[in-house]
Amino acid sequence: MTTSTNNISLEPATRAAFPFTALVGQPQLQRALQLAAIDPGIGGVLISGPRGTAKSTAARALAALLPGAPFVTLPLAASLEQLVGTLNVEDVLRDGQVRLAPGLVARAHGGVLYVDEVNLLPDALVDALLDVAASGVNTVERDGISQQHAARFVLVGTMNPEEGELRPQLLDRFGLSVALANPVDAAQRTAILRARLGFDENPAALADQHAEEQRALSSALVAARAALPRLTWSDEVLNHAAACAIEAGVDGMRADLVMLRAARALAALEGRSEVTVAHVDAVAELALAHRRPEGGAAQPPSTTSAPQQPQQNPQRPQDQQTAAPAPQGDWGAMPAQPEGTTKVQKIAGWPPKKA
């Protein structure tokens, strides 16, 4: 069907999605996206990496893999009302009916909500978005009136670290994270080029080539979602997740919870009947990488109050008894030295004024 405007025929644009199973050299990214698709309560996936590392391609490919899933993109210039929706107060006053003007989170329900350059998004939008992604419920409030609706979607945020970082508080709100790098292996780059050029030349042919794998993976994701409620965590698994979080030195309990939910999703994807310690180990880095303090695991606090100065000349025992005490507080490296006082000479006053 074509549209005619000013005697110009416009052909509707179609954009085929790159097959998810055709992605090359991104096993961790594919695993993180699959786990988030199985359990959206994980809280989404943050993909960090330089330009041209298939971040947006992978997000679109995931949406195409889920049956009937919408793919919604959040623009950087969107307002809070565009994101979460708004209420028509005039309708309430006129006929007492609360009418919701749905936002992007409502449109993304059951699918994928994609945020490109999430590190450039205003903090207020990121906060609201992550709240909805983790809870699966969106609350719209206006003038003392509120309404809630379900909004369960897979949140995928991408960013280029060269353009700025997310605040640690916002990083922690993302469930899983994957850091991509430019491929340096010539054979891998060749495979990526071959797949991309083949898709650009004939998207249908590449889709047919991976159709069977796509159908199998799509069915596995649907089955894993249904199996989640049947899987529980043993005390051994709980203890291991807690130990991993402590060793990484993360703040709060969100890392532990995300690790457990991701391990359960992986066990469901593999068709297992229980969650094991091995499942926790397989997903631990996805949950801990963006929460771990700089420099690795947290270090124990130092027990010394001031650094020791190297001794150039050994002191005799009698010298050690009169050595100056170590500096304390903000006095600096040198101890305070007593100073003598000098009597101030009185200055003669002015002579009395003659009458």
Side-chain angles (χ1 to χ4, degrees), residues 1-5 8-14:
M1 178 180 180
T2 59
T3 303
S4 179
T5 303
I8 299 177
S9 297
L10 301 179
E11 183 177 350
T14 58

Side-chain angles (χ1 to χ4, degrees), residues 64-322:
L65 192 64
L66 304 175
F71 182 85
V72 178
T73 300
L74 174 62
L76 290 178
S79 66
L80 186 59
E81 288 188 347
Q82 288 176 311
L83 175 63
V84 302
T86 186
L87 296 174
N88 193 329
V89 178
E90 290 76 12
D91 290 348
V92 178
L93 298 176
R94 184 176 59 251
D95 54 22
Q97 297 294 322
V98 179
R99 291 184 175 86
L100 172 68
L104 294 174
V105 294
R107 291 172 48 194
H109 179 60
V112 175
L113 181 56
Y114 174 66
V115 188
D116 192 16
E117 298 179 331
V118 66
N119 51 323
L120 304 182
L121 200 67
D123 288 350
L125 289 186
V126 180
D127 263 330
L129 181 60
L130 293 172
D131 276 339
V132 179
S135 65
V137 177
N138 181 42
T139 302
V140 185
E141 297 180 339
R142 182 182 173 189
D143 297 335
I145 303 173
S146 65
Q147 188 173 11
Q148 292 184 332
H149 66 83
R152 295 185 64 82
F153 50 82
V154 183
L155 174 63
V156 180
T158 62
M159 58 176 283
N160 184 348
E162 296 177 355
E163 298 172 348
E165 297 287 350
L166 273 174
R167 291 191 294 113
Q169 295 88 339
L170 298 179
L171 275 175
D172 181 56
R173 301 290 300 281
F174 274 96
L176 307 175
S177 75
V178 180
L180 304 181
N182 289 312
V184 295
D185 180 70
Q188 186 180 92
R189 293 181 76 99
T190 300
I192 295 172
L193 291 173
R194 185 178 294 111
R196 185 71 229 189
L197 291 174
F199 177 76
D200 291 340
E201 291 293 327
N202 194 340
L206 187 66
D208 291 341
Q209 181 181 345
H210 290 268
E212 188 59 35
E213 292 178 87
Q214 289 278 104
R215 280 192 293 269
L217 181 54
S218 178
S219 300
L221 293 178
V222 173
R225 276 188 176 183
L228 279 182
R230 299 194 298 269
L231 297 175
T232 58
W233 304 277
S234 64
D235 289 343
E236 180 186 12
V237 171
L238 294 176
N239 292 334
H240 187 67
C244 290
I246 293 173
E247 184 180 359
V250 299
D251 291 330
M253 301 294 298
R254 188 172 283 118
D256 310 54
L257 295 171
V258 169
M259 259 191 293
L260 291 170
R261 298 191 74 137
R264 182 180 65 170
L266 179 59
L269 181 61
E270 294 178 350
R272 307 295 182 181
S273 58
E274 61 179 356
V275 184
T276 66
V277 168
H279 291 127
V280 175
D281 289 335
V283 303
E285 192 61 21
L286 296 174
L288 297 174
H290 58 302
R291 296 182 171 93
R292 187 180 287 114
E294 288 190 34
Q299 299 296 325
S302 175
T303 57
T304 57
S305 58
Q308 296 181 353
Q309 300 295 332
Q311 294 183 352
Q312 296 180 352
N313 297 315
Q315 295 180 324
R316 298 191 304 272
Q318 59 269 28
D319 294 335
Q320 295 177 4
Q321 296 177 2
T322 59

